[in-house]
Amino acid sequence: MATQKSGKPGLESVLAAGVAFAAGVLTTLSARRNKVTRSRSAEALRAENLRASLVDYQRLQLGLLERAIDDPELAAVLSTFEVESPTHLRQHLFANALYSNALFGYRIGVATMEELHGHLRVLCRSALFRRYWESTSPHRASLKDDSEEGRIGRMVDNLIRDLDEADTEEWWVVGEPPAE
């Protein structure tokens, strides 16, 4: 008995081709997904390593400031501004530690820009912090306008100005945080 071929592909051939095509598409999509996942994992690992490095750096920085606050001879090394007394220098160093800590919290993501703004608004109410901020203005003069620290420095300058110009005793509502 002879089998007749009509020249048209049979249903089985069409299904086999469709399955092969689908398998190829799925394999390609899976490979792309795996590549994207690996890329995201590498990015996440780099971000976590950077965050860990920032934590280590901040811990070291605050440790050095603590030593300088406790020892006037060490504090003299950090003094790049005119101070009237060792007490005044320790106050400047402590104000720097408070500012650096607030900035660090923002940088590692434990504080939003709005939270940083609120924290700095509290610091700006302190006459001693303002004295520190004014004496360190030459240090900020070299910051690039578009740098993170440059923008945050201007935010502090604006907060001080806004607090000075405020017509309200409700200091906690003064100033608008910049958009993130």
Side-chain angles (χ1 to χ4, degrees), residues 80-151:
T80 59
F81 33 77
E82 296 297 319
V83 291
E84 300 162 3
S85 68
T87 298
H88 182 200
L89 178 56
R90 284 193 309 277
Q91 290 169 340
H92 269 55
L93 294 174
F94 189 71
N96 176 261
L98 291 173
Y99 173 73
S100 297
N101 190 56
L103 184 60
F104 174 68
Y106 171 72
R107 283 183 170 154
I108 65 166
V110 296
T112 64
M113 180 58 78
E114 187 174 342
E115 291 166 333
L116 174 63
H117 183 264
H119 184 75
L120 293 174
R121 180 174 32 215
V122 171
L123 284 179
C124 290
R125 294 207 5 100
S126 164
L128 293 173
F129 179 82
R130 286 178 178 221
R131 189 173 175 183
Y132 153 78
W133 194 255
E134 177 61 33
S135 68
T136 58
S137 65
H139 300 132
R140 291 185 302 283
S142 64
L143 294 174
K144 293 182 179 183
D145 288 342
D146 63 343
S147 72
E148 180 179 65
E149 197 163 352
R151 288 189 305 271

Side-chain angles (χ1 to χ4, degrees), residues 117-118 120-126 129-130 155-175:
H117 183 264
L120 293 174
R121 180 174 32 215
V122 171
L123 284 179
C124 290
R125 294 207 5 100
S126 164
F129 179 82
R130 286 178 178 221
M155 181 175 71
V156 173
D157 293 338
N158 292 336
L159 273 169
I160 290 171
R161 184 197 67 236
D162 291 348
L163 286 165
D164 287 345
E165 295 173 355
D167 289 337
T168 180
E169 293 297 315
E170 297 174 345
W171 58 267
W172 55 92
V173 298
V174 172

Side-chain angles (χ1 to χ4, degrees), residues 2 20-21 29 38 47 58-59 66 90 103 152 164:
F21 177 76
L29 289 175
R38 282 192 307 272
Q58 185 69 11
R59 188 175 292 127
E66 183 180 311
R90 284 193 309 277
L103 184 60
I152 292 171
D164 287 345

